[in-house]
Amino acid sequence: MRVNMYADGLTIDRAEAVAAVRAELSEDPMIDTIVGMSAFQNRHYQSDTGVAAAEWLADRWGEIAMGRDDVTIELINHSFAQPSVAMTIRGATAPDEIVIIGGHLDSIAEGGTEAVRANPAVIEAYLGTSAEAAHA
């Protein structure tokens, strides 16, 4: 499986930093998350399985980020059943600056994967790298 991480028309202006991060990446954690999320019957925002999927994802990210003191993961409750999963990554050189990476978690398709293809690729790529490479 090959993941295309570049959008048409974009250029990389920090090639050394990108090369350092890419050298540490593996497809396996991303595939594991996609398979794990796809195992839920559905992830509808009002269903018990939607809640379980959010809790599972928060735990999964926690496992990947284990040992990193710059990462916190929390569930944010709403007026509906399924919480959002929020991850905060404190910057090394600018800890007050915020970068937001997001995607939707819910799905109504049985075993649906549409919501989980990009999220693991983006988030686990970041979490799966060393703190030094990620902040380069």
Side-chain angles (χ1 to χ4, degrees), residues 30-90:
M30 293 178 239
I31 292 169
D32 290 346
T33 297
I34 292 169
V35 170
M37 292 298 293
S38 298
F40 289 94
Q41 178 184 8
N42 70 59
R43 297 180 307 278
H44 191 271
Y45 72 104
Q46 289 286 43
S47 71
D48 290 341
T49 53
V51 172
E55 292 169 347
W56 182 89
L57 186 60
D59 290 343
R60 174 77 178 135
W61 288 351
E63 291 169 9
I64 295 168
M66 191 171 295
R68 289 191 58 173
D69 62 359
D70 62 333
V71 176
T72 58
I73 297 160
E74 63 182 313
L75 294 171
I76 300 172
N77 293 318
H78 303 287
S79 61
F80 44 88
Q82 185 183 55
S84 294
V85 184
M87 175 175 47
T88 303
I89 304 169
R90 189 176 55 258

Side-chain angles (χ1 to χ4, degrees), residues 1-2 28 31 62 64-65 89 119:
M1 177 178 176
R2 185 168 175 91
D28 294 339
I31 292 169
I64 295 168
I89 304 169
N119 291 337

Side-chain angles (χ1 to χ4, degrees), residues 76-115:
I76 300 172
N77 293 318
H78 303 287
S79 61
F80 44 88
Q82 185 183 55
S84 294
V85 184
M87 175 175 47
T88 303
I89 304 169
R90 189 176 55 258
T93 58
D96 294 333
E97 291 184 13
I98 298 171
V99 175
I100 298 172
I101 302 170
H104 69 96
L105 169 65
D106 63 321
S107 170
I108 58 171
E110 187 170 328
T113 60
E114 82 291 340

